[in-house]
Amino acid sequence: MKDYDVIIIGGGIGSLACAGILASEGVKVLVLEKNPAAGGYLTSFKRKGFTFDSAVDCFSGGDKDGAITYLLKKLGVEEEVNLIKIDPVRESIFPGMRVKTWSSINASIEELKRLFPQEKGIDGFFEKAADIYRGITGWANEMMQSRGDKPALPSVFLKYGGITYKNLMDDYLYDERLKSVLSDRCQFLGLPPSRTSAINMTSLLMSYFISGAYRPAGGCQKLADALVKGIKQKGGHIIFNKEASRIITDNNTAAAVADADGTEYTADFIVSNIDYLRTCSILDSGDHASSCRERVEDYGVSPSFFILYVGAAMDLSFLGSSSSICYFPSFDMEKVFDFRNSFTEETPVGVAIPTMQDHSMAPPNCHALMVPELTEYSYAGSWKTEKQRLSDMVLKKAEKIIPGLSKHAVYTEAATPATLERYTANFRGAAYGWKPIPWLRPIKTGVKNLYLAGHWDGLGGGVITATYSGFKTAHEILRQTAAKKSS
């Protein structure tokens, strides 16, 4: 008899979503997490009275019908987390123009029409974006609920899965400045509109309009900790400070996981929520290593971030209600994603300020800021020796949004792509797993009963997509389990 029904490697949001669904259905599940706490990129840390979210600005799915709310309720811990709705979702500063994206799609459309009165295709673009979003979420919800056959791919995926976001915008819009404004959140995917998937970008864009944008009061760690509590209350097991060192197979079927101490845990199914290459490298059979490396070379991985955390003693009321702001030095989105220009005046800078709505995350009259710079792992020969110089450059760039920030910074700390790689084991500190290119499909491991969950399984990056990935994997296991029992 196996020790567990399912073992999940890693404790990111994809893992917690998968474990949460399985545990709530009575499945005996074990999660192995190498760090002292769960959450992956969805974690927080405290320094000198400030609470900083490690990597996440905000996420959708916190509305009454959203995926995050659904998971919290499923685990009976919805009262453990206070999700604060952010509005405006985003403020983008372009040369001669400030654009706010509101949680109300109608308000955002009206603002765009005011700024671009000659553009006649705005309504048509958003109608198509909404159509794509409904197709994808309808498929995801059907997939979540199904215990029988897998739902077929939606027609919008077949129609638009092979085109870029720029292709989609070009069908409706003419003003290149408007296209750049509507591409401001391409930073959340790591590719310019000419290369990123239309499916991924429209899903991201529309999710904030349909569901809203949220942050957990007290920091993202509050959400991860609540999910851990719920999983345990449902009978699930989570072991921290326990890194999986080997996936054991029997006749090309996943059978067990061994930790660094040599302890083996057996299960009927194994789910990997960790880096794809790392998953392949710890398989006891080397048969898949070569094909895994080839896939990484073919698909490519997303860029990473240099993240500056700033504790500031200053009044930010001049920003109004905006708490997620990005400054773009030009409307040239191709230059924005030329990482040879990272840390210069030619690339944008963003600031996330959760303390605009949640004062508990900083001392009185202070703010906790996260300032991310999208870059590539290879930018610096040594991130350790370059960290202070680059921190100073990012802090100076942030003054495009918050003048005088340097003078009022009472605490700073930085995380480099090497830091992200070390703590999460994501290859080269990848922020979103795979590059979100057109026709990126769900990734298979080639090993029976070994599944992926999170941003490496091919659905895409970001909190809500990784959550859906966990749901998808959980329900696939539940379908297999039900089929086995009925046969």
Side-chain angles (χ1 to χ4, degrees):
M1 186 175 180
K2 302 282 184 154
D3 297 325
Y4 296 92
D5 298 321
V6 181
I7 296 173
I8 306 177
I9 303 170
I13 185 62
S15 166
L16 299 178
C18 185
I21 296 298
L22 292 172
S24 66
E25 295 291 331
V27 174
K28 189 177 182 182
V29 62
L30 169 68
V31 177
L32 299 176
E33 166 55 48
K34 73 167 189 165
N35 291 312
Y41 284 137
L42 197 72
T43 57
S44 310
F45 62 93
K46 297 183 178 182
R47 298 286 191 274
K48 298 185 181 297
F50 294 93
T51 299
F52 298 102
D53 286 326
S54 297
V56 172
D57 178 354
C58 58
F59 50 83
S60 61
D63 57 310
K64 65 182 182 65
D65 298 317
I68 300 298
T69 302
Y70 170 80
L71 181 59
L72 290 168
K73 288 183 176 179
K74 187 86 170 172
L75 291 170
V77 290
E78 64 270 29
E79 299 301 323
E80 299 284 330
V81 184
N82 175 24
L83 294 175
I84 300 173
K85 189 172 183 178
I86 310 304
D87 206 15
V89 175
R90 179 84 157 175
E91 181 172 1
S92 295
I93 305 170
F94 287 91
M97 184 180 297
R98 299 180 78 107
V99 186
K100 292 183 179 180
T101 300
W102 303 95
S103 59
S104 163
I105 188 170
N106 291 331
S108 291
I109 288 175
E110 288 307 310
E111 177 151 1
L112 292 175
K113 288 181 177 179
R114 177 181 62 80
L115 292 169
F116 302 95
Q118 303 304 314
E119 188 67 70
K120 305 304 181 185
I122 294 175
D123 286 329
F125 169 77
F126 277 101
E127 286 170 7
K128 180 52 63 180
D131 183 47
I132 292 173
Y133 181 76
R134 284 192 295 268
I136 296 299
T137 55
W139 169 68
N141 290 330
E142 187 180 352
M143 181 175 54
M144 283 168 46
Q145 302 300 330
S146 174
R147 294 293 182 85
D149 296 334
K150 291 183 184 179
L153 286 173
S155 59
V156 292
F157 188 92
L158 301 175
K159 186 173 182 180
Y160 297 99
I163 70 171
T164 68
Y165 183 57
K166 183 179 184 303
N167 294 149
L168 182 67
M169 289 193 295
D170 287 347
D171 284 343
Y172 295 90
L173 308 171
Y174 296 94
D175 193 313
E176 295 300 322
R177 296 176 306 152
L178 173 57
K179 294 176 189 178
S180 295
V181 167
L182 288 172
S183 302
D184 62 350
R185 268 144 295 171
C186 279
Q187 282 192 301
F188 292 177
L189 297 178
L191 287 179
S194 63
R195 296 175 59 203
T196 196
S197 157
I199 293 285
N200 287 72
M201 186 57 195
T202 52
S203 296
L204 172 65
L205 182 69
M206 296 305 299
S207 69
Y208 291 120
F209 291 130
I210 305 300
S211 174
Y214 300 85
R215 297 190 187 106
C220 289
Q221 192 67 58
K222 297 289 187 181
L223 174 59
D225 290 347
L227 295 176
V228 167
K229 180 178 179 179
I231 290 166
K232 289 181 176 180
Q233 288 179 168
K234 294 293 184 179
H237 300 265
I238 300 180
I239 305 178
F240 295 111
N241 299 305
K242 186 68 68 174
E243 184 171 11
S245 63
R246 190 159 52 104
I247 298 173
I248 301 166
T249 61
D250 180 11
N251 194 27
N252 200 44
T253 301
V257 175
D259 64 21
D261 299 324
T263 304
E264 294 184 7
Y265 309 85
T266 61
D268 293 317
F269 300 92
I270 295 171
V271 178
S272 177
N273 182 229
I274 62 173
D275 173 81
Y276 178 71
L277 275 179
R278 174 65 177 164
T279 301
C280 293
S281 71
I282 63 175
L283 275 166
D284 63 356
S285 168
D287 298 343
H288 302 277
S290 177
S291 62
C292 288
R293 284 191 293 270
E294 289 177 1
R295 178 169 282 159
V296 168
E297 291 175 1
D298 289 343
Y299 288 174
V301 302
S302 74
S304 187
F305 277 105
F306 182 99
I307 305 174
L308 184 66
Y309 309 100
V310 183
M314 65 186 304
D315 179 15
L316 296 181
S317 59
F318 68 92
L319 295 175
S321 57
S322 296
S323 63
S324 179
I325 310 169
C326 192
Y327 169 84
F328 292 86
S330 77
F331 289 95
D332 187 345
M333 281 295 165
E334 296 304 316
K335 186 179 289 186
V336 163
F337 290 93
D338 185 345
F339 298 120
R340 293 171 298 182
N341 298 323
S342 294
F343 305 98
T344 72
E345 297 284 321
E346 296 187 57
T347 52
V349 62
V351 177
I353 321 168
T355 44
M356 295 295 285
Q357 289 84 25
D358 183 5
H359 303 299
S360 72
M361 295 178 66
N365 304 313
C366 293
H367 287 280
L369 296 82
M370 180 175 67
V371 189
E373 173 90 12
L374 192 66
T375 188
E376 288 188 326
Y377 190 93
S378 59
Y379 176 86
S382 169
W383 285 105
K384 184 176 182 180
T385 57
E386 290 287 293
K387 182 186 283 190
Q388 187 57 56
R389 181 179 72 87
L390 297 176
S391 294
D392 293 341
M393 293 174 70
V394 171
L395 185 60
K396 183 180 178 181
K397 284 182 69 173
E399 293 191 328
K400 298 287 187 181
I401 300 171
I402 305 175
L405 179 60
S406 299
K407 294 188 301 183
H408 297 281
V410 296
Y411 179 81
T412 62
E413 183 175 341
T416 73
T419 309
L420 301 187
E421 183 179 52
R422 184 169 67 254
Y423 278 96
T424 68
N426 279 296
F427 178 61
R428 302 176 73 81
Y432 307 111
W434 303 104
K435 284 184 178 178
I437 56 176
W439 286 129
L440 179 62
R441 297 292 188 92
I443 306 298
K444 305 296 183 183
T445 64
V447 176
K448 186 178 180 182
N449 293 353
L450 174 61
Y451 294 91
L452 301 175
H455 62 202
W456 290 104
D457 92 331
L459 287 186
V463 172
I464 195 65
T465 306
T467 301
Y468 273 119
S469 169
F471 291 168
K472 174 180 72 70
T473 299
H475 281 275
E476 175 61 24
I477 291 173
L478 291 173
R479 279 194 295 271
Q480 282 217 41
T481 302
K484 185 178 179 180
K485 288 180 179 179
S486 63
S487 62

